[in-house]
Amino acid sequence: MTSPHSLPRTFTRDLHQHDGERVRLQGFLHARRDLGGVQFAVLRDVTGIAQCVGSAITLPLPESSIEITGTVKAHKKAPGGFEVQIDEGGFKVLSASTEAPPVEIPKMEWNVNPETMLDYRYVSLRGLRERAALRVQSELVYAFHTYLRAQGFTEISTPKIVSAGAEGGANLFKLDYFGEQAYLAQSPQLYKQIMVGVFERVYEVAPVYRAEEHATSRHLNEYLSLDVELGFIDSEEDVMNVEQELLRAVMEHLKVNCAAEFELLGATIPDVPAQIPRIPLLEARQLVTDKYQHQVGGKDLDPEAERLLSQHYAETTGSEFVFVTKYPRAARPFYTHADHNADGTLSDTLTRGFDLLFRGIEITSGGQRIHEYQMLLASITAYNMNPEALAGYSEVFKFGMPPHGGFAIGAERLTAKLLGIANVRYARAFPRDRHRLTP
Ligand code: AMO
């Protein structure tokens, strides 16, 4: 007789390939039911769940890790259309839970307070919906790497402990660096630009830090920034073209590799149009005011204006993406290149900065950067920034930096919008928000 261990491990996703055969499954006890004479165990592994049935089994607490050996039988009502009839002695506890999980994993998606889910994230992440979101993000990041590598980009890794903010503003985390003032990096902006001088085309996937005091559904204090920067461009149009093709490749990858996750979450993968619509910011503000009678606050688009502009393009062109271009200087960081006037001179008011909106929210900022030393120094001064603190960056512009530009995608915002998740915190495994440092 074959001992259970001579059987290779089978994954629940593949049960249909083993109809009538004996298999060995390993995973977690997702759900259990003891009817006295017969016991049901739902085993969850990385690929899905399987219903298993046997007798004379003492079922451990949910989430225990278990091994089941038994025979696969077609069963209409079982998930995936097959169940496993457990061998006598074929139920083994590998590691028993010592208490009942604080959230009931199979049910939590319906009736648990979202804060409780975050409090118990170490175990609530095991839920099918929770883990589906993170798997989609993992595939998205993988596709980001794969596409950029194929286009000649080199991955870089830049410091997260820095001496100056790259994006300005008040949202810098301060750090005592052996008695010196340091900060957590708000973005790899200045370093990715320097690295264009080395590799011409670079990208980075890394967390960045923003001391956002307010709690919104789109802000995290630590988020995953997908950064791209490329040299020898003609204008920011080249940069938008790269992002457009990148997004198309990412969505194609998700269609092939994450169909099950999108189905589970009831979400659809967007089509990326051959040409994502592009509209200058000032026109976008006017459009939202004229069409929806929404008075846009500030110098940028407010969240409601972003939503309305997206709605307009979805309805009129079918595109779920829209680039907002030609941002005014006052709404852009110091490193942003000025736009050109019709006569070829540089604009005092407009820049070559852009944002990308997707399903009603900004998922990207980008643009062409200043690449001339004197122009950069003038900009640093005009923004009331300290030229000395930025010398480790600005010095490189004495050495032939080419015209360049880039962009950054907030991975959690893109993931959340792709999957219909209402708050970016649920698109990160262990979110850091205003009140949360654990788990
Ligand atoms: P920006 O500051 O606009 O630009 O950030 C780029 C993108 O990052 C995401 N993002 C956030 N996601 C979650 N929580 C936050 N607090 C948060 N802040 C920003 C958004 C946003 O579009 N250096 C430039 C990028 C560039 O020009 O290359 C920058 O960091 O999706």
Side-chain angles (χ1 to χ4, degrees):
M1 187 174 149
T2 338
S3 94
H5 284 97
S6 64
L7 281 172
R9 181 179 179 191
T10 295
F11 287 93
T12 57
R13 177 187 52 202
D14 302 328
L15 279 190
H16 64 281
Q17 296 168 5
H18 297 276
D19 191 12
E21 294 171 15
R22 285 184 66 246
V23 293
R24 183 166 65 95
L25 300 175
Q26 290 182 317
F28 298 87
L29 184 56
H30 186 65
R32 57 180 193 158
R33 198 143 52 98
D34 192 337
L35 301 179
V38 52
Q39 287 81 40
F40 288 93
V42 177
L43 177 145
R44 182 189 72 245
D45 65 15
V46 66
T47 66
I49 56 174
Q51 177 174 298
C52 307
V53 58
S55 57
I57 298 168
T58 307
L59 291 167
L61 287 169
E63 291 307 310
S64 297
S65 56
I66 56 174
E67 177 173 291
I68 286 176
T69 311
T71 304
V72 180
K73 288 274 156 66
H75 188 292
K76 280 206 185 82
K77 287 189 181 158
F82 290 88
E83 75 170 10
V84 175
Q85 298 185 343
I86 306 171
D87 289 353
E88 199 179 318
F91 188 98
K92 194 165 145 193
V93 178
L94 302 177
S95 173
S97 297
T98 54
E99 54 184 86
V103 284
E104 216 177 318
I105 302 259
K107 283 198 191 145
M108 66 187 186
E109 32 261 19
W110 298 299
N111 54 14
V112 171
N113 171 344
E115 289 298 328
T116 311
M117 299 261 285
L118 293 180
D119 290 345
Y120 298 114
R121 199 77 170 144
Y122 49 84
V123 64
S124 66
L125 276 175
R126 294 184 185 185
L128 298 176
R129 293 172 63 92
E130 297 301 301
R131 80 176 187 186
L134 295 187
R135 204 180 98 72
V136 167
Q137 189 172 86
S138 162
E139 289 297 325
L140 188 158
V141 169
Y142 177 79
F144 180 84
H145 279 274
T146 311
Y147 178 79
L148 291 172
R149 295 223 152 217
Q151 300 302 315
F153 285 77
T154 301
E155 183 174 12
I156 56 168
S157 182
T158 67
K160 302 303 156 218
I161 303 175
V162 296
S163 64
E167 310 300 332
N171 59 359
L172 273 168
F173 279 113
K174 288 186 180 164
L175 198 71
D176 171 17
Y177 195 71
F178 308 113
E180 255 186 78
Q181 179 72 75
Y183 306 93
L184 290 179
Q186 289 168 305
S187 85
Q189 182 62 39
L190 309 186
Y191 291 100
K192 70 176 178 173
Q193 287 186 250
I194 294 173
M195 293 307 284
V196 164
V198 182
F199 293 121
E200 300 182 17
R201 310 184 121 205
V202 297
Y203 73 93
E204 179 163 6
V205 176
V208 293
Y209 303 88
R210 304 274 171 111
E212 311 281 358
E213 291 272 2
H214 47 292
T216 76
S217 60
R218 55 167 73 191
H219 289 98
L220 288 159
N221 295 109
E222 178 179 53
Y223 71 89
L224 187 65
S225 188
L226 309 179
D227 271 89
V228 174
E229 198 74 17
L230 57 147
F232 301 101
I233 59 168
D234 287 335
S235 74
E236 78 280 29
E237 297 286 324
D238 292 342
V239 180
M240 287 188 270
N241 291 342
V242 168
E243 181 164 24
Q244 188 171 284
E245 297 313 310
L246 166 68
L247 285 169
R248 196 193 325 283
V250 167
M251 297 311 153
E252 286 309 312
H253 179 86
L254 296 182
K255 278 180 189 161
V256 175
N257 294 284
C258 292
E261 283 76 9
F262 277 83
E263 194 186 332
L264 179 75
L265 294 164
T268 51
I269 302 172
D271 290 322
V272 182
Q275 174 80 357
I276 294 179
R278 299 174 185 188
I279 180 173
L281 176 83
L282 297 179
E283 281 177 39
R285 287 172 64 104
Q286 195 62 48
L287 188 155
V288 165
T289 307
D290 293 348
K291 183 166 175 179
Y292 300 102
Q293 291 76 52
H294 174 70
Q295 296 301 326
V296 191
K299 300 187 175 71
D300 196 338
L301 293 175
D302 55 33
E304 178 63 3
E306 288 181 356
R307 195 184 69 71
L308 293 169
L309 190 66
S310 282
Q311 184 182 321
H312 167 78
Y313 279 98
E315 284 170 4
T316 56
T317 70
S319 175
E320 297 192 88
F321 297 90
V322 50
F323 279 114
V324 182
T325 63
K326 313 275 181 219
Y327 265 72
R329 166 76 43 211
R332 261 0 224 202
F334 75 95
Y335 51 76
T336 314
H337 201 288
D339 194 23
H340 284 83
N341 297 313
D343 63 2
T345 56
L346 291 178
S347 168
D348 289 334
T349 51
L350 298 181
T351 72
R352 293 189 161 185
F354 65 84
D355 275 6
L356 177 64
L357 309 188
F358 170 53
R359 293 184 180 164
I361 187 175
E362 172 207 320
I363 57 160
T364 286
S365 288
Q368 181 173 348
R369 330 296 189 183
I370 296 173
H371 61 273
E372 288 168 14
Y373 182 65
Q374 290 304 338
M375 200 187 288
L376 185 64
L377 285 194
S379 183
I380 290 172
T381 310
Y383 277 73
N384 289 321
M385 298 177 81
N386 177 0
E388 271 163 38
L390 290 168
Y393 160 73
S394 56
E395 285 294 301
V396 79
F397 293 87
K398 291 178 178 169
F399 304 101
M401 283 296 288
H404 64 284
F407 60 91
I409 303 174
E412 294 81 2
R413 283 200 195 170
L414 177 55
T415 309
K417 277 289 140 187
L418 276 173
L419 297 172
I421 296 170
N423 189 308
V424 285
R425 294 189 300 166
Y426 303 100
R428 190 157 180 86
F430 301 104
R432 291 291 169 260
D433 61 42
R434 183 73 186 77
H435 303 287
R436 191 173 295 280
L437 255 181
T438 60

